[in-house]
Amino acid sequence: MSVRVAHAVVGAAVGVMWLVLPGMTPGSDTPVATKEPVAVARAAAPREPQEDETSTADLVLPLVAVAVVGAVAGYGYIRRVRRTRDRTTPGGASGPPPPSSAPALAEPDAAACASLVRADDRVRATRAALGFAEELLGTEAVTRFERGLREAEGELSAAFRMRQRYDEGIPEEETARRHALAGIVGRCEEAGRRLDEITDDFAGLRKPERALPFAEARFRALTGRTKTAQTQLADLVARYAPTATSTVIGDVEQAKDRLLFATARLNLTRQAADSGEPEQAVRQLRAAEGAIAQAAVFIEGVDRVAAELRNAERMLPAALTGAEAELAPVRRHTFREEEPHPRLLNADSVLASVRQESTAGQPYDPLGALRRIVRATVPLASGRSGVLPAAALAVARSSTAAADDFVMTHRGAVGATARTRLAEAKRLLTTGDPADAGPADELALEARRMAEQDVRLHGNPVADAPAEAPGTTGPAGTAGAVIGGLLPDDDDSHGDGSDDDGSDDDGSDGAGPDDDGPSAK
């Protein structure tokens, strides 16, 4: 505003000077000597009329100038006042949006996440229980239950697909996004209804008096396999780089922890059955079966990684050769253009590095090497070499299996987002399109990272619990059971197991939180 005022003052001063200066002109009629006196005398005759005209012009022009400058200054002042009135924060900075424009989907979003976690927990728990029943009763006896479980899995897969698209920003409009969240909840509820239809009949097939001896036999078999798995893991650690075995380090110890929990639950099952408490016996047996199933995942994970690494070692030379064949046309084209291609330079560097690592005689990561070859060459490949798609598929299957094992054994702490990325990775692996292998691998790796973060944030829910004394029902393996989703966080008795066939009211087999905490992320 000070600039506008200054302009007005200057304009007024100019006008005043214009009015005053004519009055300061000398009044002498003495002519000024010139080189043309005749012209001067002729011009001096009509002096009086010219003075009147000049005086009028001298008065009008300054007034017009003052008016123009005043109008400009006034316009600037009014405009500045209006801007000041419209300003929402000091200095004109954009402030936070008004409350009416704040996101309105937080509550339905949290509800959708919680529904996904509960439905996924139920489906996973039922799948594990069905595996026990099939081994106990045979495939034919569980055919109907298998069909119902597949239908529930289909509904859950559709819900996860909707969630993945929602996370990608589809749809964009708020009302449509609200409907999408409601659709996710609806799909999860339908999955729960499909499981409810088979739960009662399925539970009737697994009477404790018949299922308990089978569970105890499986427990003993897994206990014997832990030593073999420990030896195998030690060999893998010595033979390969640390990144090759990072997904299974500590798995044998966790398997032992689950088996310790299973020991206590099997004993409680036997006690409840002998005391004529069938319902309590069923609950304890389901918790024991869930722990045994997770111990199997840990032990079999070591076997799986060993097989994957051996397969990657065999595939690596062919992958290098195939990559070179794919890059040859790119090199010829680049040579004609006489300009190095950045991706080609990167691919050449990666291939040289992998070749050096694989022939140096030092521990390396064959799966990691395959992943680097695929990522470096596939963007330039023409698809003439079949080994690269095979390598990409092997890498994606490995990362997806590792993420799935982690979620299965830590489902009491893993949230909806990690599960959504894992579900999308699984979906891409079933499309049959080699181009989907790379995105599937990326999603699986992301799912594993997010799941591990969820577990770290969840922490140890029973860190302060005392060690179990012999003959008591204290927290033997309870921390792992809570993280594994076999017990709720607030299970104070540690002797009241959960029905791991997924039949609890909260849909999470009593195995995880039913609020919007870590599992609803």
Side-chain angles (χ1 to χ4, degrees), residues 372-438:
R372 289 158 58 197
I373 292 173
V374 168
R375 290 182 174 179
T377 57
V378 164
L380 300 171
S382 60
R384 284 187 289 268
S385 174
V387 68
L388 287 182
L393 188 60
V395 168
R397 285 174 174 168
S398 173
S399 57
T400 302
D404 194 47
D405 285 356
F406 190 88
V407 173
M408 177 65 186
T409 55
H410 298 79
R411 56 191 174 88
V414 177
T417 306
R419 299 177 193 233
T420 300
R421 303 296 178 269
L422 174 58
E424 182 66 7
K426 289 181 177 180
R427 187 190 70 82
L428 291 175
L429 285 179
T430 64
T431 63
D433 186 351
D436 287 337

Side-chain angles (χ1 to χ4, degrees), residues 297-375:
V297 170
F298 284 124
I299 293 173
E300 291 165 2
V302 177
D303 294 339
R304 174 182 54 78
V305 167
E308 290 170 350
L309 291 173
R310 289 193 298 268
N311 180 60
E313 277 186 304
R314 291 192 296 266
M315 187 180 291
L316 193 59
L320 286 169
T321 302
E324 292 288 355
E326 290 285 357
L327 295 179
V330 182
R331 288 196 182 94
R332 289 194 295 269
H333 179 72
T334 303
F335 178 77
R336 288 195 299 269
E337 292 185 349
E338 298 182 356
E339 182 179 349
H341 195 295
R343 286 186 173 178
L344 179 59
L345 294 176
N346 176 67
D348 286 339
S349 175
V350 169
L351 295 183
S353 175
V354 169
R355 192 176 289 107
Q356 190 276 331
E357 290 177 8
S358 61
T359 58
Q362 298 295 322
Y364 76 105
D365 181 357
L367 267 173
L370 276 184
R371 179 175 286 112
R372 289 158 58 197
I373 292 173
V374 168
R375 290 182 174 179

